[in-house]
Amino acid sequence: DISGSITTPDVKLNLGGEFIKESTATTFLRQRGYGWLLEVEDDDPEDNKPLLEELDIDLKDIYYKIRCVLMPMPSLGFNRQVVRDNPDFWGPLAVVLFFSMISLYGQFKVVSWIITIWIFGSLTIFLLARVLGGEVAYGQVLGVIGYSLLPLIVIAPVLLVVGSFEVVSTLIKLFGVFWAAYSAASLLVGEEFKTKKPLLIYPIFLLYIYFLSLYTGV
């Protein structure tokens, strides 16, 4: 006649000088080789990054690029090539969306049109630049074309004021298109194009005329 009782071993863990008694289930899992189920991963410092850093958004960099586009004169001392050589996505997207918002005038289809023209118009400029021998990436063209919409955003409130004066309004529109086209072309049209520059400058100019037509409803 065999009788008796089995007592649970009193297992303690030493955590930082303090002893914590383990439960029966914990002890059983550890004895059977399933202790890994009880392990807790340490927090990864990378998981605690700020949201802007997580999304790769640099507000200072975007602000600097905006100034480079709005003030394209070399005499001002801006390193304008950073707009082309260090392209980003969120800055141009914000500019394009803002231009879309001010172009609404109750016709919501214009937003999708502006974004579509931005994407495929930039693709056309990119392909043409590559055919002409330019060393430029699609992301660079997308960023430059997007940022260079800023001049058209600047002239938008002026057009609201002088809209009744047809001659003045036309001159301001031409000024805005030339401003935007010059800002984009001066970044995309490098010395590698040489005598072929007009073949790339002309479609850039036409692209911004089309952007302006979406805004004005022409």
Side-chain angles (χ1 to χ4, degrees):
D1 185 9
I2 300 174
S3 63
S5 62
I6 300 176
T7 59
T8 304
D10 192 11
V11 181
K12 296 181 180 180
L13 297 178
N14 185 358
L15 299 176
E18 296 182 358
F19 289 90
I20 301 176
K21 185 177 180 180
E22 284 190 342
S23 65
T24 305
T26 302
T27 304
F28 176 80
L29 288 175
R30 291 190 184 280
Q31 290 177 346
R32 294 296 185 277
Y34 296 102
W36 56 272
L37 293 172
L38 306 173
E39 295 179 358
V40 179
E41 294 184 359
D42 296 332
D43 292 336
D44 190 350
E46 295 184 358
D47 294 338
N48 299 323
K49 290 183 178 180
L51 180 60
L52 292 180
E53 185 178 348
E54 192 72 27
L55 295 175
D56 197 21
I57 300 176
D58 189 343
L59 296 179
K60 291 183 178 179
D61 181 60
I62 292 175
Y63 174 66
Y64 185 81
K65 290 176 180 178
I66 288 175
R67 295 172 65 190
C68 290
V69 170
L70 290 179
M71 294 176 282
M73 289 72 70
S75 58
L76 295 177
F78 289 109
N79 181 21
R80 301 187 66 247
Q81 288 302 315
V82 72
V83 182
R84 168 179 169 170
D85 297 338
N86 186 26
D88 65 289
F89 175 74
W90 297 107
L93 179 62
V95 173
V96 172
L97 289 178
F98 186 67
F99 181 73
S100 301
M101 292 300 105
I102 67 173
S103 303
L104 280 177
Y105 284 126
Q107 47 181 359
F108 293 97
K109 292 182 179 179
V110 75
V111 177
S112 59
W113 267 109
I114 290 175
I115 295 176
T116 301
I117 295 303
W118 171 48
I119 294 175
F120 289 98
S122 299
L123 179 61
T124 302
I125 300 298
F126 163 71
L127 293 176
L128 184 57
R130 298 293 291 185
V131 169
L132 294 176
E135 296 296 331
V136 63
Y138 176 60
Q140 294 175 324
V141 178
L142 199 67
V144 170
I145 296 298
Y147 272 118
S148 297
L149 276 173
L150 286 167
L152 300 186
I153 295 175
V154 171
I155 68 170
V158 182
L159 292 177
L160 294 177
V161 176
V162 300
S164 56
F165 303 96
E166 186 175 349
V167 176
V168 178
S169 178
T170 302
L171 291 176
I172 292 176
K173 290 176 184 178
L174 289 175
F175 172 74
V177 171
F178 275 110
W179 186 4
Y182 173 77
S183 184
S186 60
L187 289 168
L188 293 177
V189 181
E191 291 299 324
E192 64 267 24
F193 294 103
K194 296 181 180 179
T195 58
K196 301 177 182 179
K197 288 182 179 181
L199 296 177
L200 192 60
I201 295 176
Y202 181 65
I204 292 175
F205 180 74
L206 292 181
L207 182 61
Y208 285 106
I209 288 180
Y210 190 73
F211 275 124
L212 184 64
S213 69
L214 291 174
Y215 167 70
T216 57
V218 177

